[in-house]
Amino acid sequence: MAEKHKKNDKLDILNECTISTEVDAIMTSFLHHMKYTLGKDEYTATKRDCYKCISYVARDHLIDKWLNTQQTYYEKDAKRVYYLSLEFLIGRSLGNTLVNLDIEEPVAEALAKTGYDLEEIKKYEWDPGLGNGGLGRLAACFLDSLASLEIPSYGYGIRYEYGIFFQRIRNGYQLETPDNWLRYGNPWEIERPEYLYIVKFYGNVKQYTNGAGTLRHEWVNTQDVVAVAYDTPIPGYKNNTVLNMRLWSAKSSREFELGYFQHGDYESAVADKVQTETISKVLYPNDNIFEGKELRLKQEYFFVSATLQDIIRRYKKNHPERADFNNFSDKVAIQLNDTHPAIAIAELMRILVDEECFGWEKAWDITTATFCYTNHTIMPEALERWTVSLLERVLPRHLEIIYEINSRFLKMVGERFNGDVNKLRNMSLVEEGDEKRIRMANLAIVGSHSVNGVSALHTEILKDSLFSDFNALWPKKFNNKTNGITQRRWLRLCNPALSALISESIGEKWVRDLTELKKLIPLAEDSAFLEKWREVKWSNKLSLAKCFEDHNRVNVNVDSLFDCQFKRIHEYKRQLLNIIHVVTLYNRLKENPAMDMVPRSVIFAGKAAPGYFMAKLIIKLINSVAQKVNFDPDIKDKLRVIFVENYSVSIAETLLPAADLSEQISTAGTEASGTGNMKFALNGALTIGTLDGANIEIQKEVGKNNFFAFGLTDKQAESLKNSGYNPRAYYDNNPVLKQALDMIDSGYFSPENHDLFKPIVDSLLNQGDRFLLLADFASYEKTQQQVSEVYKNQALWSKRSVLNVANTGFFSSDRTIMEYVKDIWDAKAVHIKI
Ligand SMILES: *Cc1c(COP(=O)(O)O)cnc(C)c1O
């Protein structure tokens, strides 16, 4: 029976209970929360309490719009978009909320009146680290754009109790500590104990024939877990839309059963409860790597099951008849952020066939019309391939459904391609081998009506290589949606000085429509403007240099070129190429300390997965090189190496405004898109980059002259590997490169252990140099020299910087989202009135 949307007339007065943006009202509300929500007085209130209270004030301002938004969607029966993601790396909320609600000024004033500084108070917000890197941050940028564009939509994910680990550097090594982000409470979330769903695991499938002679399946003897909803409001930019990000937390179901704790065995009852609740305990810290752990599979299904139950509950409020399911996809679009939630395809089939009693074909039509899949990587080690034995144990009915999908699909493939065995083997959802596995990407392609890549190059590779057989079968399914970033966070909020200069020159429409930045183009010829532009960058660099002095105890030359690589540490991203280049610069300076060289501060930031040996050794190498370089008197202030701990959204926000040079140097064909590249360009850094991912599109937008491209193309890289790549030849023929590698190999940077970095050099010279570092080195070094030449001419550099910013409008996630809306979701904006 469908739930009724009943109104309580006596509560109509709630509509008169609203909130004022006057300074005095904000101050009163702040003090009220201090006293009555936190129970603090003038003796006990801390700055963290102040952060919390001002967040409650901001949240109060969100609530009317939030309730109104949800009510309007219900009344209009709007088509909803559901963005399913295992990660949402949203970053801090306070600053973003104040900007989007346009109450930054009165709030700052109200705080000032009580003796607090808003900028200082903002730093007390703990960065929710519910993601690893680009994929999670993309989901967060999308939510901001969806809200700003008034698209009826929801983010769904997991409320991990522990987010991505905290990274400390000790003695040059990465040390991981748990991120207990909820320790001091989270003022942004609202628990919804009324939205509880049971999620089943394990058990077995019971088959029977019903009275009408139909074969039916029932999933029985399951272990049940309860999913509890936690909601976080997502405000649009200066509109009345406030969307909902709903994250699920796992609770023991037995706790809800009378008597569970009353049968004498209290201890094992508690153990059982703890075991269940581990499902939402911790985020897996892997980026672009598939591990295959049972708990991870349970996380994926846990959040998918709760989410689909919630979506269907909401759908049934407006469409209570069973026959209404025929129009399900007119009202529901579900976007899968990578294959992590792809089990949803089997789950919707299970619900429609087993519970709603639809025939297979009907259920399949509804399912494929509902789902859309975004692929994020072509690297084989990142593709999810669950073993059949694990799926059989944890989700027995889903495995049966996957087999049924596969058998019908392969029958169709066989007919279409005349039984072509290669095609059947490549396209099958089941990978044969010692251990049978289910290919989740294949399931996602077969079960969706749209498959998109995240940059032009990446989509071409999907269509021409990885999924070429699927593309031959369904060419219209494949499409590109080049990633984007939200300018609200990645310029307006993180770089107030540059934002102010831009707004005073061309107005502030760019915050809503980033293509407005094109109006900066003529100013690239205006020397007075360029002067101001340089001053802004310089003052941003000065602030960062002060941080380095305080936190890293390194003095940095503010006039040096700030050369930056911030991203997860990964061999394919080639931080190693960068640090080897640093070693060559160091050697040149040592040979000739009087050399006239453009001073550089090479800055790294990024986490390595705790189980990724090579990535962690690269971090140690960077820090070891830093030790040598930074304290060598011959080097003076010409070269510095800095590794910034614990890269996160809030650290990114403090680093990006100071960047001169953006290092985007992955092996061509490996980085699906990148979004860090876009953030740098938007903050006026020039890029040194390979022709990979969205770098290619950035180069196209900003112009070849304003972008330092180097290295092999993806096709050249591919054919070099296929024609017998010999990394040693590059080493033998390049004395500068040889010297640097020999130093690393022989322990020059690790006097305490001469063998420490041998595995790194070994991977290049003896293990095949999978990411073609040595093949690209000469080109990289030459291009870095060009970078230095241009930097010497500050007028030219800042002109190019302005042109980079001016032509970055395409990379707004607003543009990306509008493309999804039009090409994939067929959704419509719904304007929310006050
Ligand atoms: C943008 C962002 C990333 C992604 O960076 P790439 O250079 O695209 O890999 C990762 N982590 C954080 C915290 C980010 O803000």
Side-chain angles (χ1 to χ4, degrees), residues 89 133-134 137 490 566-567 573 647-649 652 664 674-676 679:
L89 202 51
R137 183 54 230 174
W490 296 114
F566 312 149
K567 48 181 79 243
K573 292 176 185 274
Y647 189 53
S648 58
V649 172
Q664 306 300 335
T675 49
K679 298 170 200 164

Side-chain angles (χ1 to χ4, degrees), residues 531-588:
E531 184 68 30
K532 286 194 213 162
W533 191 267
R534 272 197 295 281
E535 274 165 25
V536 166
K537 183 60 86 178
W538 197 86
S539 69
N540 287 340
K541 288 168 71 175
L542 181 66
S543 315
L544 186 60
K546 283 189 182 140
C547 281
F548 290 153
E549 255 167 55
D550 297 346
H551 298 292
N552 305 60
R553 298 203 194 86
V554 194
N555 66 311
V556 169
N557 175 357
V558 181
D559 293 312
S560 66
L561 189 159
F562 279 24
D563 175 349
C564 305
Q565 190 171 19
F566 312 149
K567 48 181 79 243
R568 288 296 290 242
I569 313 293
H570 225 297
E571 285 162 287
Y572 84 82
K573 292 176 185 274
R574 299 200 294 193
Q575 281 90 357
L576 189 52
L577 177 59
N578 186 345
I579 197 67
I580 290 171
H581 174 249
V582 170
V583 173
T584 67
L585 289 179
Y586 172 72
N587 289 339
R588 284 215 270 148

